[in-house]
Amino acid sequence: MEAKAVISQKETVKQQSPKNIFGKFDVRAYTMIIALVGIWILFSFLNDTFLTARNLSNLFTQMSVTSILAIGMVLVIVAGHIDLSVGSIVGLTGGVAAILSSWMGLPTVVAIIGTLVAGILIGLLQGWLVAYRAIPAFIVTLGGMMIFRGLLMAITKSTTISISDPNFIAIGNAYFTNAFGMILAVIVIGALAISMFRRRKSRQQYGFEVAPFGLDAAKLVFYSLLIIAFVYVMNSYKGTPFPIIFVILIALIFSFISTKTTFGRHIYALGGNPEAARLSGINIKSRTMLLFILTGLLSAVAALILTARLTSATITAGQNFELDAVAACVIGGTSLMGGTGTILGAIIGALVMTSLDNGMSLMGMESFWQYIVKGSILILAVWLDIASRNKK
């Protein structure tokens, strides 16, 4: 019985291996990119300021918070859980950052470290309750969402805390020079090319099927053109926004973790077949707790960016951010059933959500329409995921 379970787990891991994830995701990724381009074209016709360098720079800066939250949320959902508290954690840790910086007058580095530690401790507490006390993640994080919002009101005395430290403010408002943007583009394109050739060589070495070289070259050219266009547009305004660098670095780190490490493979195994994962010897409890620690840490990073960008902490900061993060993951191809999802998909989903917010705001649409549109898109994305699974 246990041998069969172990074999089943190995098959699950194989099905969710990095090769299969990206292979399955290609169609969804390009479909979402096409949909994103369609959204941009539509809003550009409806409002001629949408595709200006200034607005696109603001759009990518706004996207950074949702993207960072979605990166953490992907792994949680892939493992078969959910975290409804990330928005409140953003608010609470943002309040901690503002108190450390403004009320206590501590240096920026100390305020950043204190904020990150607060996020880690919150994630540790929630992860312990889910993993070691077997309380469903939905309940733990739903309760956390209310508790952390209440704590934010308590520690800030329900007031707005302004931040005047220019070093702290730079986290969310600084721009890199044009030269740095061009250097970054060259580095990223070079890394993509090296990664492509290494992947091809590795697959050939082990006798796996290799895509035609022309197809890989076309993909490389496509991604390179996107990167060059992005840097050109950013340089047309003030340069590359500092928060975007956070998103790029975090995305690279977590993509590596999810596709190249044992921990990442275990996470996909947990979502694909938890019973087989348990019987194969995976420490489910420690993996689960670490997931929530990482989510708490990323929520604190998002809080630093948001608080710095707004130059203040408010009791409404981060409200409903958990919904945007979940929606970004689902729109990007993450299955709420667990076992399937990618970092790239979450970032594309975050860009779609932010583009909708930005475009509808420019058009002066009332807020209720924004909720209706985003909610409808979320339901449609889940419907398509379920339909796709049933078809298979």
Side-chain angles (χ1 to χ4, degrees), residues 12-213:
T12 300
V13 174
K14 183 178 179 182
Q15 291 171 359
Q16 299 300 340
S17 65
K19 177 194 75 172
N20 288 323
I21 291 170
F22 285 109
K24 283 175 63 179
F25 183 72
D26 277 347
V27 174
R28 282 188 174 185
Y30 294 129
T31 300
M32 290 310 305
I33 291 174
I34 292 171
L36 179 63
V37 171
I39 291 171
W40 283 15
I41 292 174
L42 173 63
F43 282 128
S44 68
F45 279 115
L46 296 175
N47 191 298
D48 55 6
T49 62
F50 182 80
L51 287 181
T52 59
R54 177 179 181 178
N55 185 62
L56 288 178
S57 179
N58 291 333
L59 188 153
F60 281 108
T61 302
Q62 294 167 7
M63 181 200 81
S64 60
V65 173
T66 303
S67 296
I68 292 171
L69 293 177
I71 289 171
M73 189 69 75
V74 164
L75 298 182
V76 172
I77 295 176
V78 164
H81 299 290
I82 194 73
D83 191 341
L84 299 177
S85 66
V86 292
S88 293
I89 296 175
V90 168
L92 178 57
T93 52
V96 169
I99 290 172
L100 294 176
S101 178
S102 295
W103 285 3
M104 301 180 68
L106 296 175
T108 301
V109 174
V110 176
I112 291 173
I113 293 174
T115 303
L116 296 179
V117 169
I120 290 172
L121 291 176
I122 291 171
L124 177 64
L125 173 61
Q126 294 198 125
W128 179 76
L129 290 172
V130 173
Y132 291 94
R133 285 296 169 264
I135 305 175
F138 180 87
I139 298 301
V140 171
T141 58
L142 179 62
M145 178 177 68
M146 295 182 281
I147 292 170
F148 302 143
R149 186 65 59 182
L151 287 175
L152 172 61
M153 295 177 182
I155 66 173
T156 62
K157 301 176 183 178
S158 297
T159 60
T160 297
I161 305 175
S162 299
I163 296 176
S164 57
D165 184 352
N167 294 323
F168 190 99
I169 293 173
I171 295 173
N173 293 282
Y175 293 86
F176 287 102
T177 62
N178 292 358
F180 177 86
M182 291 185 287
I183 293 172
L184 181 65
V186 171
I187 293 174
V188 173
I189 292 172
L192 285 175
I194 292 172
S195 175
M196 184 191 76
F197 285 115
R198 282 185 175 179
R199 185 169 61 251
R200 289 181 61 86
K201 184 178 179 180
S202 176
R203 293 179 65 80
Q204 289 172 342
Q205 180 180 352
Y206 291 100
F208 292 124
E209 183 181 353
V210 180
F213 180 80

Side-chain angles (χ1 to χ4, degrees), residues 19 29 38 64 71-72 107 123 227 252 262 278 325 334 347:
K19 177 194 75 172
S64 60
I71 289 171
I227 293 168
L252 290 175
T262 302
R278 183 183 67 82
T334 302
I347 292 175

